[in-house]
Amino acid sequence: MVQLLNKATDQRIVRYDGTWEQFKLIQKGFEGYDGVRLFYYNGTIEILTPGEDHEFFKTIIGFLIELFLIEKGIEFIPAGSMTQECQGTASAQADESYWLGQKQLIPDISIEVVFSSGGSNKLERYKALGVPEVWFWEDGFFSLYHLQEQNYERIYRSELPGLTELDIDLLSRCVLIAQTSRVEAVREFRQAILGKGTQ
């Protein structure tokens, strides 16, 4: 099945009865192709080629989060869309992902820009990988989920050390402002996190 999404030029191919072995063959076939993201969970193979809008939001979100971490003096390691895998079970390439502090096997946070359905399935995939926190940006809002024991719980502020002070409403507002002016978005965001403006 191929979906051409009307919100952007994303191209998405999904196969629902694939095996892990088939996924690994597809993954090998796409080696060296920048801009293609591959996902697997519970027999579902997804191939995503992000469009311009998708990449715009991914880049702005990543920039603002990194600006926050830098301004607050929090050490982080960006992992971008690196492949996160649990052999035979799940594989994902988030739009942005980060380790906070020390590098572990799996990044502390994964962020996806969503122009299609399937959020719950995406959460199951990240649960299998053991990602502590997952954020989705969809329709101008963030949805945050933190892994509590065996399930994700919806949260409204990050529970990760270093990100607990990040005002998600402020972040959302500045991501939207960036559609008109990147400079204004960064100026407002920076002033707010430094306590020089209203949040």
Side-chain angles (χ1 to χ4, degrees), residues 133-149:
E133 209 160 278
V134 181
W135 297 10
F136 297 112
W137 169 260
E138 184 174 12
D139 294 330
F141 298 97
F142 282 101
S143 299
L144 281 61
Y145 297 88
H146 191 88
L147 191 57
Q148 307 278 7
E149 297 180 0

Side-chain angles (χ1 to χ4, degrees), residues 53-54 57-58 61 95 111-115 135-137:
D53 289 352
H54 191 124
F57 286 113
K58 157 202 148 18
I61 291 165
D95 289 303
I111 303 166
E112 281 200 33
V113 174
V114 179
F115 279 143
W135 297 10
F136 297 112
W137 169 260

Side-chain angles (χ1 to χ4, degrees), residues 8 12 26 59 63 65 79 86 105 123 141 150 180:
R12 182 171 175 256
I26 292 169
T59 303
F63 180 83
I65 289 173
C86 177
L105 183 63
L123 275 178
F141 298 97
Q150 299 301 314
T180 304

Side-chain angles (χ1 to χ4, degrees), residues 45-192:
I45 298 172
E46 180 180 347
I47 304 169
L48 175 68
T49 305
E52 183 179 332
D53 289 352
H54 191 124
E55 294 299 271
F56 171 84
F57 286 113
K58 157 202 148 18
T59 303
I60 290 296
I61 291 165
F63 180 83
L64 292 175
I65 289 173
E66 290 175 25
L67 176 62
F68 175 86
L69 293 169
I70 290 167
E71 292 290 357
K72 296 296 183 179
I74 298 160
E75 290 292 345
F76 67 96
I77 304 168
S81 58
M82 66 163 267
T83 300
Q84 305 171 37
E85 282 192 351
C86 177
Q87 184 69 26
T89 303
S91 180
Q93 292 178 299
D95 289 303
E96 296 289 354
S97 48
Y98 298 93
W99 287 283
L100 301 175
Q102 297 298 313
K103 190 173 182 179
Q104 306 291 331
L105 183 63
I106 293 293
D108 295 297
I109 179 172
S110 290
I111 303 166
E112 281 200 33
V113 174
V114 179
F115 279 143
S116 61
S117 60
S120 60
N121 189 45
K122 293 174 190 289
L123 275 178
E124 289 300 312
R125 185 169 63 207
Y126 284 110
K127 183 169 73 173
L129 294 168
V131 178
E133 209 160 278
V134 181
W135 297 10
F136 297 112
W137 169 260
E138 184 174 12
D139 294 330
F141 298 97
F142 282 101
S143 299
L144 281 61
Y145 297 88
H146 191 88
L147 191 57
Q148 307 278 7
E149 297 180 0
Q150 299 301 314
N151 290 296
Y152 281 107
E153 290 186 12
R154 177 75 186 272
I155 56 175
Y156 296 91
R157 186 178 289 264
S158 177
E159 296 183 7
L160 296 174
L163 284 174
T164 55
E165 293 180 22
L166 177 57
D167 183 335
I168 301 302
D169 291 336
L170 168 69
L171 179 61
S172 298
R173 186 168 72 248
C174 291
V175 170
L176 293 173
I177 291 170
Q179 293 179 94
T180 304
S181 171
R182 272 61 63 199
V183 172
E184 184 58 35
V186 172
R187 180 184 294 120
E188 179 167 333
F189 187 75
R190 191 168 185 273
Q191 287 177 346

